[in-house]
Amino acid sequence: LYGPCQRAVETLFELAEERNIEVVCSGRSEVRVSGTDGLIEILVSNLLRNAIIYTPAGGRVPVEIVVENDRPYIVVEDNGPGIPAELRDAALQRFIRIPDNLGEGSGLGLAIARRIVELHEGHLALFDSSCGQGLRVEVRFPPRHPERREA
């Protein structure tokens, strides 16, 4: 997971730099999941792009790779406006934009991320950020399947 996450961070470096946002990738570099590197990189890029766009200038966006109960997962957090709990399911649908959010885009980023997670037999969930304000996105993958290629 660390390789696709790090490549996503590198891809979005200029956007983060323009907005004076620090993006930090941390966690377990040896964690692997069954799947496709390219799709996981797109997944993380979509989550990071949203986090960077919605984080106020001078903010920080942590990306963490974690293993809990033998299940690997990725956490991306921001301290932007967040998504109200009652709108989170809708936010995962195509072309949905949350009212009053100032970010740009077509409303596809979270829907694409959710679909990639589904293809990897995982689960994507939205929570309040542990930063006090903002959004926390958790992508949980299943335990590895030895017969599939690992990312």
Side-chain angles (χ1 to χ4, degrees):
L1 283 178
Y2 194 82
C5 286
Q6 190 60 43
R7 285 190 298 279
V9 169
E10 290 167 5
T11 300
L12 293 166
F13 175 79
E14 285 185 30
L15 176 63
E17 190 174 62
E18 287 170 12
R19 296 191 39 78
N20 193 27
I21 305 292
E22 178 187 16
V23 178
V24 180
C25 190
S26 66
R28 311 246 325 248
S29 61
E30 80 286 356
V31 175
R32 302 188 68 71
V33 297
S34 297
T36 306
D37 276 3
L39 288 176
I40 292 174
E41 184 177 336
I42 292 168
L43 159 70
V44 176
S45 291
N46 283 349
L47 299 178
L48 270 177
R49 183 178 313 282
N50 281 350
I52 291 167
I53 288 170
Y54 288 108
T55 295
R60 186 172 186 267
V61 174
V63 179
E64 188 175 11
I65 300 168
V66 182
V67 176
E68 184 178 274
N69 298 325
D70 293 326
R71 289 192 67 174
Y73 67 101
I74 299 170
V75 177
V76 177
E77 290 195 76
D78 66 58
N79 62 343
I83 298 175
E86 66 274 10
L87 297 177
R88 290 179 185 157
D89 285 338
L92 295 171
Q93 304 303 312
R94 292 181 300 157
F95 304 114
I96 298 296
R97 301 270 325 208
I98 302 304
D100 299 328
N101 276 355
L102 301 175
E104 63 250 15
S106 61
L108 284 173
L110 285 176
I112 291 169
R114 185 192 72 196
R115 183 63 185 134
I116 291 170
V117 172
E118 288 171 351
L119 290 171
H120 288 83
E121 300 174 5
H123 179 72
L124 186 148
L126 307 177
F127 302 96
D128 291 330
S129 176
S130 64
C131 302
Q133 174 182 324
L135 187 67
R136 175 184 175 95
V137 181
E138 290 186 9
V139 175
R140 293 184 181 265
F141 295 95
R144 295 187 301 174
H145 298 290
E147 71 277 6
R148 291 172 54 188
R149 186 182 180 290
E150 294 189 353

